[in-house]
Amino acid sequence: MTNQFQSNMPIYLQLVNNFKHRIVSGELQAGSKLESVRDLAIRFEVNPNTMQRALTELERGGLVYAERTTGRFITQNKELIAKMREAVAQEIIDQFIEQMKSLGFTNQEAMDLIRKKIEKGASK
């Protein structure tokens, strides 16, 4: 899996964000087992220490938990996942608003553009 990491943010934080997105979107199912640190590091083409750091951060946030003899798993706490999903969405909205402001759009103009896009169909 070839990853394009950005130079403006530590790689481990980019991995954390990647996993958060995959968890809250349902791509990684609640309760599912993650691959080993080594296997994930190979798949994402990063140093195992970087992957370990990302997974530790996810554990701190409660999205991942470790069982001593069997590995790491995605939390089964659906309420936590729902809260994280909303937080991720809020971050995306905040970024969008900042980008629109940098282009000179008012909040109302941005809302009008969104409304038009939704009415036309978001996939078009």
Side-chain angles (χ1 to χ4, degrees), residues 87-120:
V88 169
Q90 194 61 53
E91 288 175 21
I92 292 168
I93 291 167
D94 291 344
Q95 291 169 2
F96 171 77
I97 290 169
E98 286 304 312
Q99 289 177 350
M100 295 305 283
K101 283 182 181 178
S102 75
L103 292 172
F105 286 93
T106 66
N107 288 345
Q108 187 60 49
E109 290 170 329
M111 288 298 295
D112 290 342
L113 287 172
I114 292 169
R115 195 172 292 108
K116 285 178 189 175
K117 183 67 174 177
I118 290 171
E119 288 170 0
K120 280 185 172 181

Side-chain angles (χ1 to χ4, degrees), residues 30-41:
S32 65
K33 186 176 194 263
L34 291 173
E35 297 174 63
S36 70
V37 170
R38 182 175 303 280
D39 289 342
L40 286 169

Side-chain angles (χ1 to χ4, degrees), residues 42-53:
I42 290 169
R43 178 139 69 91
F44 283 87
E45 299 176 359
V46 297
N47 184 296
N49 292 329
T50 301
M51 183 57 69
Q52 176 63 43
R53 189 169 181 190

